[in-house]
Structures are given as structure tokens and as C-alpha cells.
Amino acid sequence: LEEGANEFGIKLLESVAEESNRRAPLYFKLGKAWECVGETLKAVSFFTQAADLDKKNIDIRMALADLYMDLKKPILAACAPAGGSDCP
């Protein structure tokens, strides 16, 4: 992608998110976009919101687990796929 394309995509997705109902696929895409530009904590935030909206989507939960591993948080990574409320 050309330089700045990811940032443009993020701004576009964020503007759509502000004007629409909360939808898991949109938050998942925002998480992926932030991950692509190296903003891991922002990506975690959007993946978490997506996971809360679609509790059965394993792809969202696995992406979240991968980011937790990148952040050296293996306990959270282990809990992410199951999405259990007993996780820290």
C-alpha cells in the first residue's frame, strides 16, 4: 500500500463507526488497521470491542490472543479464545 493509505483507511473506518451502530466486523477491521500501523494497544481496544459484540467469533478472539502474545501477556492470550469472564 502507498504511504498513508492505512491512516486514511483508519480515519474512514472511524468515521463510519461514529455514524453507525456498533458492529463487530467494523471494529475488527479497525483493530486490523491499527495493528498494521503498529499501534498494538489501539488494536487490542478495537478487537476487544469486536469480541464483546460478537462473542462467538473465534477469528476475533484469536486475533486478540495474538496481540496479547505480542504484548507478552500470555495469561490474557490464553483466555482470549474462550472469552471467559473468569479471565483477568
Side-chain angles (χ1 to χ4, degrees):
L1 291 175
E2 290 184 35
E3 179 122 3
N6 284 328
E7 289 81 5
F8 176 76
I10 289 169
K11 288 180 184 178
L12 182 62
L13 286 170
E14 285 179 335
S15 69
V16 171
E18 289 175 8
E19 295 180 16
S20 66
N21 292 333
R22 293 174 36 109
R23 296 180 8 186
L26 180 59
Y27 283 85
F28 181 70
K29 287 178 183 169
L30 273 163
K32 293 299 276 182
W34 281 115
E35 181 182 18
C36 284
V37 297
E39 292 286 344
T40 305
L41 294 178
K42 288 182 181 180
V44 166
S45 175
F46 282 103
F47 283 151
T48 301
Q49 291 177 70
D52 288 344
L53 292 168
D54 186 353
K55 297 186 185 314
K56 294 181 180 181
N57 189 321
I58 193 66
D59 293 329
I60 295 170
R61 296 196 175 284
M62 292 306 294
L64 187 55
D66 287 342
L67 286 181
Y68 282 137
M69 288 303 292
D70 290 346
L71 293 169
K72 311 275 190 268
K73 305 236 182 241
I75 293 173
L76 293 175
C79 289
S85 59
D86 58 342
C87 290

